[in-house]
């Protein structure tokens, strides 16, 4: 089935190609007004209801034929009645994808302080002047609000403003909490804004970005076929949270900022308003504007220095191949949209296939968008990135081809790639190279040049791909042991250069932020990664956010040869923190932190500092000191109490 991947793409996109290249200056067209937008969705809902009615009539008619005789009109009448009710700053400590585009995380540096987001609270720790001292803590939600049913996931810092992004199932939307970092590391609450949206969670991606002083985040609004909820109660809107009666929502997405292509909306599948919201930080009040593209619900999004890209795709039943379905030749299988961060009108392009995750994208300096694709998938929502499958291809398309969404990426824009057809693929761009892998196989390709991909044989699973300066790192298990394989990238063919084996260990965190590499020279540096030992919950525990990292392992690399420096370990002491919100570590709880020559490890409520001693093969990390910033919880007779 997958051997004909590229010809099937060409067949599926034939009509789009025949439309001819659109004017490079053209953009997607917005809805003219609320009436046109509402009428479009009403037609889609009506078509869905008619289709459901037809299906129910056929189903009930078949049941009637196989049962006792009944009046032919009875089933139809019953159904009719039923249907009527139915890139980082200089002091960044975050492993980001794009330089200058910070990503929401659980720990950030702000001058002399670390700010940590953990289990519904914010904490500051003084690290300036060679110190390591807990300073302040505050709830990460609005005073007087009920935090139950809410998850506070992502932290960003702009100047003295601390931003917390969360999602409340109880209130049905994204929360933006604003706090001030004062003198001496003090924290004070400023305001909370509530954005009406659906859940943004992805097991791999991060909802928020910070570009300069502009906060950017992605949120979907899901529209189900047959759902009779009034649109006025669903469309993106914002309000400032108040402790008494919440303020009324105000629309921040007018119909004239909602865009679409000429694609037909499938009445059997949900739609989504793929909404990108930009907020300028630093003012007395938070002012935000939203732009959205209406399309299929499957999505993957990526943020470059100047644009947000949203890839939408139709979901398919297992076993169906969109590349063989000739009845769908008159509409795109997927589409990619480019939404400029300066507020300009979006552009789009019809495509095929589905990216693995945000790491599948690269907007390069040559004015090209590169995207690694799988044949089948439903996007990255929740654990969607782990469930794609099928043949692989690389899309490399000029940004100038993005226009009004009527044209399609041409056949020559796609390159068939080798690789496993199963799940759990990893991918990353490192310099001029694209690396990807799954199982125990990996490949490397110069994405901007012709030529074949080079197969790599790490001899272990590929569960993480990272950059080591100009080179790359593959991380994964073989049996009970965790392997690190350095990949030399350069003018010649890429190759596995050296390996390190961490006996009896697994990754303690699979998100990109769990890893950090600090260069200490042109071809040397130190890396850190949280690990857990034998008997841990392993990757499933990491995925479900319920493990505690036992330690952070540290390695030195010189000319891609590894020296094991040892690890900084958590005490393992249980903490009763009287948690009220966000009490599962969906984003992990451990990070390596490098502050100049200082080496620290965040593990739960502990920060352990180590000192590198010795040189060469004798170099190692020795624990220097540790602190706990856990909130004190005391009760009678010294017993912890969650009620005080």
């Amino acid at each position: 089935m997958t051997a004909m991947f590229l010809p099937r793409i060409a067949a599926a996109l034939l009509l789009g190609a025949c439309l001819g290249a659109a004017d490079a200056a053209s953009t997607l067209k917005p809805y003219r007004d609320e009436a046109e937008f509402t009428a479009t969705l009403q037609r889609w809902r009506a078509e869905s209801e008619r289709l459901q009615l037809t299906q129910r009539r056929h189903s009930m008619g078949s049941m009637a034929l196989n049962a006792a005789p009944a009046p032919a009109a009875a089933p139809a009448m019953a159904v009719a009645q039923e249907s009527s009710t139915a890139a980082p700053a200089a002091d960044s400590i975050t492993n980001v994808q794009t330089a200058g585009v910070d990503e929401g995380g659980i720990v950030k540096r702000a001058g002399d302080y670390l700010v940590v987001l953990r289990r519904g609270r914010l904490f500051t720790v003084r690290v300036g002047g060679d110190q390591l001292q807990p300073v302040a803590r505050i709830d990460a939600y609005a005073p007087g609000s009920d935090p139950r049913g809410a998850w506070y996931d992502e932290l960003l810092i702009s100047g003295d403003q601390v931003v917390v992004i969360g999602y409340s199932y109880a209130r049905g939307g994204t929360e933006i909490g604003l706090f001030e970092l004062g003198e001496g590391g003090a924290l004070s609450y400023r305001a909370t804004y509530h954005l009406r949206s659906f859940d943004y969670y992805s097991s791999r991606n991060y909802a928020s970005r910070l570009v300069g002083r502009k906060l950017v985040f992605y949120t979907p609004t899901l529209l189900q076929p047959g759902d009779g909820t009034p649109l006025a109660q669903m469309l993106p809107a914002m309000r400032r949270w108040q402790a008494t009666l919440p303020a009324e929502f105000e629309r921040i997405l007018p119909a004239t900022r909602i865009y679409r292509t000429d694609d037909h909306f499938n009445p059997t599948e949900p739609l989504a308003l793929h909404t990108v919201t930009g907020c300028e930080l630093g003012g007395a009040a938070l002012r935000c504007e939203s732009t959205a593209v209406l399309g299929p619900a499957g999505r993957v999004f990526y943020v470059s220095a100047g644009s947000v890209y949203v890839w939408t795709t139709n979901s398919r039943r297992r076993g169906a191949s969109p590349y063989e379905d000739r009845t769908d030749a008159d509409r795109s299988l997927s589409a990619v949209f480019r939404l400029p961060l300066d507020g300009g009108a979006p552009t789009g392009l019809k495509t095929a296939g589905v990216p693995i995750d945000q790491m599948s994208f690269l907007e390069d300096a040559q004015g090209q968008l590169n995207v690694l694709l799988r044949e089948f998938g439903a996007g990255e929502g929740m654990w969607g990135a782990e469930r794609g499958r099928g043949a692989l291809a690389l899309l490399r398309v000029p940004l100038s081809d993005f226009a009004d969404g009527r044209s399609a990426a041409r056949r020559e824009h796609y390159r068939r790639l080798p690789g496993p057809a199963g799940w759990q693929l990893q991918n990353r761009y490192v310099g001029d190279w694209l690396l990807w892998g799954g199982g125990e196989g990996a490949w490397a390709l110069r994405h901007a040049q012709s030529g074949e991909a080079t197969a790599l044989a790490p001899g272990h699973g590929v569960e993480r791909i990272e950059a080591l300066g100009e080179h790359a790192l593959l991380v994964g298990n073989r049996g009970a042991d965790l392997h690190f394989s350095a990949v030399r990238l350069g003018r010649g063919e890429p190759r596995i250069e050296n390996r390190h084996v961490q006996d009896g260990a697994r990754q303690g965190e699979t998100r990109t932020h769990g890893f950090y590499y600090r260069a200490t020279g042109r071809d040397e540096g130190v890396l850190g990664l949280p690990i857990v030992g034998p008997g841990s919950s392993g990757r499933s525990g990491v995925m479900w956010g319920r493990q505690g990292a036992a330690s952070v392992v540290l390695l030195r690399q010189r000319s891609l040869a590894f020296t094991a420096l040892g690890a900084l370990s958590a005490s393992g002491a249980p903490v009763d923190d009287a948690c009220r919100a966000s009490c599962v570590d969906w984003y992990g709880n451990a990070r390596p932190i490098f502050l100049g020559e200082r080496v620290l490890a965040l593990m739960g409520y502990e920060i352990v500092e180590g000192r590198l001693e010795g040189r060469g093969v004798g170099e190692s990390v020795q624990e220097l000191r540790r602190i706990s910033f856990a909130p004190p919880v005391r009760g009678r007779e010294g017993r912890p109490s969650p009620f005080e």
Side-chain angles (χ1 to χ4, degrees):
M1 177 179 63
T2 59
M4 297 297 292
F5 183 47
L6 289 181
R8 290 170 187 169
I9 289 178
L13 302 179
L14 181 59
L15 181 65
C18 290
L19 290 173
D23 181 2
S26 63
T27 63
L28 297 179
K29 299 301 185 288
Y31 288 95
R32 290 190 300 270
D33 50 34
E34 296 290 332
E36 184 186 26
F37 173 65
T38 301
T40 297
L41 290 184
Q42 286 176 341
R43 286 194 300 270
W44 172 69
R45 284 178 166 177
E47 188 177 354
S48 172
E49 291 174 358
R50 286 194 298 271
L51 183 59
Q52 291 179 22
L53 177 60
T54 300
Q55 291 173 341
R56 288 171 182 165
R57 282 175 173 164
H58 282 304
S59 175
M60 297 189 73
S62 298
M63 292 172 59
L65 289 174
N66 294 328
M77 184 178 297
V79 173
Q81 292 172 348
E82 180 183 352
S83 67
S84 66
T85 59
D91 61 352
S92 173
I93 57 173
T94 305
N95 177 24
V96 298
Q97 178 180 7
T98 303
V101 180
D102 199 9
E103 301 167 359
I106 64 169
V107 58
K108 298 290 179 181
R109 182 181 181 182
D112 290 338
Y113 300 92
L114 295 179
V115 183
V116 183
L117 174 64
R118 172 142 174 83
R119 293 166 66 87
R121 296 184 178 99
L122 281 171
F123 304 85
T124 55
V125 176
R126 182 181 287 110
V127 293
D130 198 40
Q131 298 187 64
L132 189 65
Q133 177 186 1
V135 177
R137 66 181 179 274
I138 192 173
D139 288 338
Y141 45 87
S145 66
D146 186 348
R148 291 177 296 181
W151 301 95
Y152 300 97
D153 303 316
E154 301 185 14
L155 161 70
L156 288 161
I157 297 179
S158 175
D160 61 358
Q161 194 158 30
V162 179
V163 183
V164 174
I165 307 297
Y167 186 82
S168 172
Y169 288 94
R171 288 180 281 277
T174 300
E175 293 187 6
I176 307 168
L178 302 181
F179 301 82
E180 186 172 340
L181 179 63
E183 292 186 7
L187 289 167
S188 58
Y189 173 78
R190 289 186 55 190
T192 294
Y193 293 85
H194 180 198
L195 174 66
R196 191 162 58 198
S197 74
F198 282 68
D199 196 356
Y200 53 72
Y201 181 80
S202 164
S203 64
R204 297 193 184 186
N205 208 343
Y206 308 95
S208 60
R209 304 291 195 274
L210 185 65
V211 184
R213 297 186 66 85
K214 187 165 189 173
L215 173 67
V216 179
F217 51 96
Y218 166 87
T219 54
T221 296
L222 196 63
L223 306 174
Q224 291 284 0
D227 185 356
T229 304
L231 288 175
Q233 299 177 18
M234 300 179 66
L235 297 180
M238 182 173 280
R239 64 183 178 185
R240 183 164 178 164
W241 180 260
Q242 298 174 172
T244 53
L245 292 177
E248 292 296 323
F249 277 110
E250 295 183 5
R251 282 273 300 276
I252 59 173
L253 181 64
T256 53
R257 297 287 296 174
I258 300 175
Y259 296 82
R260 60 157 295 175
T261 67
D262 59 342
D263 291 331
H264 172 72
F265 295 143
N266 190 331
T268 67
E269 297 180 347
L271 292 175
L273 280 172
H274 300 279
T275 305
V276 174
T277 300
C279 307
E280 292 294 335
L281 298 174
L286 190 66
R287 299 296 180 187
C288 303
E289 291 185 349
S290 294
T291 301
V293 175
L294 182 63
R299 44 82 173 178
V300 183
F301 78 96
Y302 153 73
V303 183
S304 71
S307 300
V308 179
Y309 291 86
V310 180
W311 189 289
T312 67
T313 185
N314 290 307
S315 61
R316 298 279 172 171
R317 295 178 180 176
R318 180 172 293 183
S321 171
Y323 308 104
E324 293 182 325
D325 190 353
R326 299 298 190 269
T327 62
D328 285 346
D330 62 343
R331 60 190 178 100
S332 66
L333 306 168
S334 57
V336 58
F337 301 102
R338 184 186 186 202
L339 290 78
L341 290 177
D342 63 6
T347 52
L349 192 67
K350 298 182 193 299
T351 53
V354 186
I356 299 165
D357 54 28
Q358 77 276 14
M359 308 306 294
S360 303
F361 291 79
L362 173 67
E363 180 190 279
D364 64 28
Q366 290 74 45
Q368 304 276 332
L369 179 67
N370 305 269
V371 191
L372 179 62
L373 303 170
R374 283 191 288 199
E375 193 172 2
F376 301 102
E380 66 180 2
M382 295 299 176
W383 289 271
E386 281 76 29
R387 295 195 291 266
R389 60 188 177 88
L392 301 178
L394 174 65
L395 172 66
R396 179 173 168 81
V397 60
L399 298 182
S400 58
D401 280 17
F402 280 74
D404 61 2
R406 293 182 298 169
S407 60
R410 298 186 295 273
R411 178 174 179 175
E412 57 266 29
H413 291 150
Y414 295 90
R415 297 170 65 181
R416 171 71 186 276
L417 299 180
W423 303 351
Q424 302 294 346
L425 279 179
Q426 302 292 327
N427 59 153
R428 184 138 195 168
Y429 294 88
V430 179
D432 296 335
W433 294 87
L434 166 64
L435 295 98
W436 68 97
E440 293 193 1
W443 291 262
L445 174 76
R446 284 189 184 273
H447 56 80
Q449 298 181 11
S450 60
E452 298 296 323
T454 298
L456 304 169
H460 57 79
V462 179
E463 300 166 2
R464 177 184 292 274
I465 302 175
E466 299 288 356
L468 288 181
E470 299 175 352
H471 307 291
L473 177 70
L474 309 179
V475 181
N477 270 82
R478 183 177 183 182
D481 304 326
L482 186 63
H483 292 241
F484 297 76
S485 292
V487 181
R488 182 169 294 281
L489 302 173
R491 295 184 178 180
E493 281 201 353
R495 64 183 186 273
I496 303 291
E497 189 78 359
N498 283 294
R499 294 180 174 85
H500 167 75
V501 180
Q502 194 76 21
D503 295 337
R506 304 183 70 88
Q507 290 192 84
E509 171 58 52
T510 56
R511 283 184 174 270
T512 57
H513 290 179
F515 173 89
Y516 201 82
Y517 175 76
R518 178 173 66 87
T520 56
R522 187 179 183 280
D523 201 11
E524 69 173 55
V526 179
L527 65 92
L529 179 70
I531 62 170
V532 290
S536 69
S537 56
R539 295 193 75 231
S540 62
V542 172
M543 181 174 292
W544 287 97
R546 300 184 185 277
Q547 96 298 340
S551 58
V552 171
V553 66
L554 299 164
L555 301 177
R556 166 82 69 181
Q557 76 86 11
R558 286 190 176 92
S559 299
L560 299 185
F562 292 114
T563 299
L565 303 178
L568 298 174
S569 299
S571 66
V575 174
D576 180 358
D577 60 359
C579 183
R580 296 184 62 204
S582 202
C583 298
V584 176
D585 296 314
W586 296 111
Y587 281 51
N589 63 10
R591 299 288 187 269
I593 301 171
F594 299 110
L595 304 176
E597 297 298 317
R598 298 174 67 184
V599 179
L600 299 93
L602 167 68
M603 293 169 288
Y605 284 116
E606 290 183 294
I607 297 180
V608 182
E609 182 170 2
R611 178 169 52 205
L612 297 179
E613 299 181 348
R615 292 186 61 81
V617 295
E619 186 179 19
S620 64
V621 63
Q622 303 297 322
E623 183 178 323
L624 180 63
R625 55 188 166 178
R626 69 173 60 218
I627 62 160
S628 170
F629 57 90
V633 181
R634 298 184 179 90
R636 296 178 182 177
E637 300 177 357
R639 298 177 183 177
S641 169
F643 305 106
E644 297 181 7

